Amino acid sequence: WKLGERELQLVAELLRSNTTLQEVRLAGSSRDGMVLLAHALRDNKRSAVSVIDFSHSTIEDKAASELGNALSGLSHGLVHADLARTELG
């Protein structure tokens, strides 16, 4: 089961403002979805996210760069990242 573009936009909107969510598990996301999620994480300077699961997602050059920028700015640091079966893992 994969989220569509509209659902990913709603998740990104949530990630931009939520300060309590600690885990994001969205395996199987599309390339555009990954960029959208990375931007949302990057924009939330008070995010509590410390665990991500983006396994089986399409993470190409642009998404990888954006994701790297977003994860390096997480206020609580990254404890676990599952990127299995992506172009990175």
Side-chain angles (χ1 to χ4, degrees):
W1 186 77
K2 289 188 180 185
L3 297 178
E5 184 178 332
R6 177 68 182 135
E7 290 85 5
L8 283 172
Q9 288 174 346
L10 291 171
V11 171
E13 195 175 303
L14 170 79
L15 289 174
R16 269 194 187 84
S17 59
N18 188 289
T19 59
T20 58
L21 184 68
Q22 296 178 8
E23 296 186 19
V24 177
R25 299 187 183 272
L26 292 169
S29 295
S30 68
R31 176 184 59 235
D32 292 339
M34 289 305 305
V35 171
L36 188 65
L37 295 170
H39 286 175
L41 287 169
R42 178 201 64 202
D43 293 347
N44 185 348
K45 303 301 181 200
R46 297 180 55 215
S47 174
V49 171
S50 61
V51 174
I52 61 164
D53 177 358
F54 294 146
S55 60
H56 302 272
S57 296
T58 304
I59 304 175
E60 296 173 348
D61 292 345
K62 181 176 180 174
S65 176
E66 296 294 343
L67 189 57
N69 289 333
L71 298 179
S72 68
L74 290 175
S75 61
H76 294 283
L78 188 63
V79 174
H80 178 78
D82 186 347
L83 300 171
R85 298 184 188 229
T86 67
E87 289 77 3
L88 304 176

